[in-house]
Amino acid sequence: MTTPHIRQRRHRLPATIALALTLVLAACTSDGDSPKGKDEPMQTKAVAEIRHLIQTRANAVADAAGSPLDNWSTNTVPCEGRRGETADDGRWYLGASANLRVAPADQITTLAQIRETLRQQGYEITEDRTFADGTRGALAARDPQTAITVTLTTTKGLDHLAVGLLSDCYLPAAGEDPANA
């Protein structure tokens, strides 16, 4: 017999995996603007600084949705080139994920509210669509000042909005090794 807690986690797992794959693909298949290619100069940043920027952007999304972030997690990852090669200089990026509890009937409207908030904050909207069933959708936006990308997707079960954030690639600050953490 499966407990409700475990059953609930199983339903979140496919959405979490899909979001993680989307973030990794975005990092590996960018047009060269963000994350930067293997041979392009880049900034050196401390993990704490980028974690703070990501958290601030995530909180703005939660405020726009009127719902707190659930299951917040962050992870540093080595940057990869277009062919999947890992740079040998410690380049890294930070990915984050969370859920927003939004009633199924309000999810498309909430995505529109978040889109407008992000647009007003200067984000470039890179994806804004409603799926064929009319009850689900996806939104992606990029902050040109920080190169942080925000993605939101309704889940198949409409039990929440999946939120993902992805930083640009950075060289590690002195004494840090986030690519291998």
Side-chain angles (χ1 to χ4, degrees):
M1 183 168 131
T2 305
T3 64
H5 177 70
I6 292 171
R7 189 172 34 245
Q8 184 179 20
R9 282 183 179 219
R10 283 186 188 153
H11 291 294
R12 284 189 211 144
L13 186 59
T16 303
I17 290 170
L19 181 60
L21 288 174
T22 300
L23 292 173
V24 169
L25 288 174
C28 295
T29 60
S30 73
D31 61 4
D33 290 336
S34 173
K36 296 195 181 344
K38 186 175 177 181
D39 297 323
E40 296 177 33
M42 62 180 51
Q43 297 178 347
T44 298
K45 297 284 185 180
V47 172
E49 178 183 354
I50 302 307
R51 188 171 279 128
H52 175 73
L53 285 173
I54 293 273
Q55 181 72 55
T56 301
R57 272 56 181 181
N59 289 342
V61 168
D63 290 346
S67 177
L69 297 166
D70 281 341
N71 300 318
W72 174 254
S73 67
T74 62
N75 193 32
T76 57
V77 182
C79 294
E80 293 183 357
R82 292 184 187 272
R83 290 178 216 90
E85 70 277 9
T86 301
D88 58 7
D89 60 2
R91 296 169 192 227
W92 64 279
Y93 68 91
L94 188 125
S97 63
N99 298 321
L100 289 172
R101 297 282 169 210
V102 177
D106 298 334
Q107 290 188 7
I108 296 297
T109 304
T110 301
L111 285 174
Q113 288 173 305
I114 294 168
R115 178 192 66 236
E116 288 311 309
T117 298
L118 294 176
R119 186 175 286 150
Q120 289 171 6
Q121 293 175 357
Y123 281 73
E124 300 165 348
I125 306 303
T126 58
E127 179 182 21
D128 182 13
R129 64 186 176 111
T130 301
F131 299 156
D133 66 6
T135 63
R136 298 175 41 237
L139 172 68
R142 183 178 178 277
D143 179 355
Q145 292 181 332
T146 63
I148 291 173
T149 301
V150 177
T151 60
L152 295 109
T153 306
T154 56
T155 59
K156 187 172 183 177
L158 295 174
D159 57 342
H160 64 273
L161 295 176
V163 179
L165 294 101
L166 181 68
S167 78
D168 205 355
C169 277
Y170 298 102
L171 291 171
E176 292 187 342
D177 189 12
N180 295 306

